[in-house]
Amino acid sequence: ELQYVQSPYNDSAVQDGSFGNEMVLVHPNHPPKRLYYNNGQYVFAEIPFTWSPTGTPTTQTPSEYSWPSGAYPAACTSYLGRLVLAGSNKDPTLGSLTGSLAEKVWMTEVGRWFRFTDPNSTEVNPDDSIEFSSTYRSPIQWVHGQSNLLVGSESYEYVSNADGIYSPGDLGVFLQSTHGSERVQPVPMGQYVLFAAEQGSRVRAMQYIAESEYWISPDTTIYHPDLFARNGGIRRMARMRNPHQICVCVMGNGVLALLHQDSYANISAWSRLSVGGNVKDICVLPQEDGTDVLYMLVRRTIGGVNKLYLEAIADWTYAEENNWGYTGSSVTFIPAAASNVI
């Protein structure tokens, strides 16, 4: 259930001064964490927020607050220089008359990812932190910064934007669709944002239509209605860019589902890939030559011993010399002489 976002900033007080080397990670059962590189080693630590938005400051002096126990955000993204946190697991009661932190969005000050504005301040500035709850009452599952701030909840998908500067005094929230989202971090792919919908049984492609000034979310799995429903739903999504545009989804049964898509050529197709073990999680990282590598955490039983293995698929090209290692099953045979018959 981890969600994460790469920070473009660094805090010279705790880091080694390099730029953009920090990640923010959230989980519904744990306080927000930061992963950064300092003095030759990686550091994984709780984030020391200033003026925690769900805390109760009692003094005029800014102080560091840990996120209150039991109110940890489960979704995160970045938008217009702000860290966005949402979907706390505290009181996620559907239909609650008083609302729930599960329906709130918190955004830090611009350029200050660990700082929220002093609640005692009487001035409102454009770069102040932002907090809002939508009238479309439903626990938030994911947030994503695009041209607008996209929000997916259990029952709705909506956007937040502004007519002028996106600030506490100028923002609006607008309903776009009612498909209902799963708590899986979405991935951008071309002009689309792909997200898991209908309890993880569908992948929808959210895109902005200028003519109607609306975000629509067509179903990419409409010709494959049982792809995810019969295989445990979607657990994680990752995007590969090079050499091919592929969205890789981990299904509940440990098999991968791959969406090969070129929206400009109107080409879209799904395939399944089993690696002979149960894939638990994935991520994508580029190699030195720019091609992407799919990393997998795979549970296998080898020699009667059940272990987790870190594995990778590096070769996704269709060159003649390729061994087709990305297919579910393959055999390569090269004739030794012209008289050989296959």
Side-chain angles (χ1 to χ4, degrees):
E1 291 190 76
L2 279 175
Q3 296 194 21
Y4 52 89
V5 59
Q6 175 76 36
S7 168
Y9 307 107
N10 70 83
D11 184 348
S12 59
V14 294
Q15 296 186 28
D16 62 356
S18 55
F19 184 81
N21 60 351
E22 181 163 292
M23 291 189 71
V24 172
L25 301 98
V26 298
H27 188 283
N29 298 331
H30 302 279
K33 299 294 181 69
R34 61 197 305 210
L35 176 66
Y36 61 93
Y37 193 71
N38 185 28
N39 294 326
Q41 64 181 356
Y42 285 100
V43 180
F44 188 59
E46 188 172 336
I47 299 175
F49 287 104
T50 301
W51 300 120
S52 172
T54 57
T56 309
T58 57
T59 69
Q60 296 293 329
T61 304
S63 56
E64 291 182 353
Y65 283 80
S66 297
W67 207 275
S69 177
Y72 311 129
C76 66
T77 189
S78 62
Y79 184 60
L80 300 179
R82 304 175 187 269
L83 171 64
V84 183
L85 302 170
S88 167
N89 67 342
K90 184 176 176 61
D91 302 327
T93 305
L94 286 170
S96 168
L97 296 176
T98 58
S100 163
L101 294 183
E103 299 166 336
K104 276 191 179 297
V105 175
W106 299 276
M107 306 174 71
T108 64
E109 293 181 353
V110 176
R112 303 180 183 93
W113 273 35
F114 303 150
R115 183 180 181 87
F116 293 91
T117 304
D118 182 352
N120 301 302
S121 176
T122 58
E123 296 183 1
V124 178
N125 300 304
D127 62 346
D128 282 351
S129 59
I130 294 172
E131 177 181 323
F132 69 85
S133 293
S134 167
T135 58
Y136 314 112
R137 304 289 300 281
S138 180
I140 294 172
Q141 305 299 296
W142 56 261
V143 284
H144 182 78
Q146 196 79 352
S147 55
N148 302 139
L149 177 65
L150 311 181
V151 182
S153 71
E154 280 189 3
S155 303
Y156 309 104
E157 291 77 41
Y158 51 91
V159 304
S160 176
N161 57 24
D163 292 330
I165 300 175
Y166 194 85
S167 66
D170 184 20
L171 64 89
V173 180
F174 308 97
L175 181 66
Q176 305 297 308
S177 57
T178 58
H179 301 296
S181 295
E182 184 73 358
R183 183 168 283 171
V184 177
Q185 196 160 15
V187 295
M189 191 164 176
Q191 70 268 45
Y192 301 119
V193 176
L194 302 176
F195 69 93
E198 282 103 326
Q199 298 182 326
S201 65
R202 298 282 187 271
V203 172
R204 290 189 172 272
M206 200 170 185
Q207 60 177 310
Y208 183 72
I209 304 300
E211 293 81 2
S212 60
E213 298 184 350
Y214 227 72
W215 290 82
I216 65 171
S217 302
D219 182 7
T220 67
T221 54
I222 191 169
Y223 296 117
H224 309 277
D226 298 326
L227 179 60
F228 296 106
R230 290 188 177 183
N231 295 293
I234 302 168
R235 296 295 185 85
R236 171 78 74 194
M237 300 169 65
R239 175 199 175 183
M240 301 184 68
R241 296 175 174 83
N242 186 11
H244 309 289
Q245 294 271 4
I246 302 175
C247 175
V248 185
C249 302
V250 179
M251 295 189 285
N253 64 348
V255 175
L256 301 178
L258 280 61
L259 172 62
H260 313 256
Q261 188 177 56
D262 187 331
S263 57
Y264 300 102
N266 197 27
I267 296 173
S268 178
W270 283 95
S271 63
R272 278 175 289 186
L273 172 60
S274 174
V275 296
N278 192 310
V279 180
K280 309 301 291 186
D281 209 348
I282 58 172
C283 73
V284 174
L285 291 173
Q287 299 184 102
E288 290 184 358
D289 63 0
T291 58
D292 286 331
V293 176
L294 176 68
Y295 288 88
M296 306 175 291
L297 192 63
V298 186
R299 182 170 291 282
R300 297 184 183 278
T301 300
I302 299 178
V305 180
N306 188 282
K307 290 185 179 180
L308 284 172
Y309 292 86
L310 183 64
E311 305 178 7
I313 300 178
D315 193 353
W316 294 79
T317 63
Y318 297 138
E320 206 171 282
E321 67 275 14
N322 180 41
N323 63 3
W324 299 86
Y326 54 84
T327 59
S329 177
S330 63
V331 173
T332 301
F333 177 79
I334 302 176
S339 60
N340 283 26
V341 178
I342 300 176

